[in-house]
Amino acid sequence: MTHKETLLRRIAISRGNLLLMTILTIVNIASYWFELNFMLPFSAFLPFTIFDFGYFFSIELGDPSLFIAGIALSALVLLLYFLGYFLSKNKPGWLTAMLALYIFDTIVMVFLYTSVFIFDGSMILDILFHAWVLYYLINGVLAVNKLKKLPEEVEEALTV
């Protein structure tokens, strides 16, 4: 396997983790909505939390527009993740944008876990899986940057 192929594989693995995380976030939201009582930790925190807060405050305040706003904002974040996945295939800079979005997601999660929510063991699992996704996104972004710097003449000579 050439160095270029190794870098391309790292990018593909990073993108695959991004897609899986996005899909599992949708599964978590659907599980919550249909009261299936399970949560998958390999997911984004922000879209689920926005959905949950919209749902909760629409019930508490009796304003269904809050629920609609929660759905819309949650869907927007998920759409960004999907766009990032699909667009990063031809424009790898999108992977950097998805890393930034997921870092923001992680910061919000840690902030809420440490300041608002009552701590429980599942939070540790969430943090560990966020670290996993961050690792692969960072790995993919580093591979993109190395791929850009890779001289094509040297790469062609190595493959012959």
Side-chain angles (χ1 to χ4, degrees), residues 30-43:
S31 169
Y32 181 75
W33 176 250
F34 293 111
E35 299 178 1
L36 300 177
N37 298 323
F38 73 86
M39 289 288 294
L40 304 168
F42 194 87
S43 63

Side-chain angles (χ1 to χ4, degrees), residues 46-61:
L46 200 55
F48 179 84
T49 303
I50 292 169
F51 177 86
D52 185 31
F53 282 2
Y55 180 68
F56 175 78
F57 285 114
S58 70
I59 292 171
E60 287 296 312
L61 301 175

Side-chain angles (χ1 to χ4, degrees), residues 6 19 34 48 51 74 82 86 91-92 118 134 141 150 152:
T6 302
L19 180 62
F34 293 111
F48 179 84
F51 177 86
S74 181
F82 271 123
F86 288 110
K91 296 184 186 255
I118 297 171
L134 283 172
V141 168
L150 196 64
E152 291 191 32

Side-chain angles (χ1 to χ4, degrees), residues 67-136:
F67 182 55
I68 293 167
I71 291 171
L73 286 173
S74 181
L76 179 64
V77 174
L78 289 167
L79 181 62
L80 279 173
Y81 280 125
F82 271 123
L83 278 173
Y85 168 76
F86 288 110
L87 295 175
S88 66
K89 181 169 184 158
N90 296 321
K91 296 184 186 255
W94 274 91
L95 208 50
T96 304
M98 295 304 95
L99 172 60
L101 183 58
Y102 203 72
I103 287 172
F104 178 71
D105 185 276
T106 304
I107 290 169
V108 169
M109 178 187 70
V110 169
F111 173 76
L112 289 177
Y113 278 0
T114 58
S115 63
V116 177
F117 298 138
I118 297 171
F119 183 80
D120 71 30
S122 70
M123 293 176 180
I124 293 172
L125 196 57
D126 282 344
I127 291 168
L128 290 174
F129 275 100
H130 262 69
W132 172 323
V133 174
L134 283 172
Y135 169 79
Y136 280 104

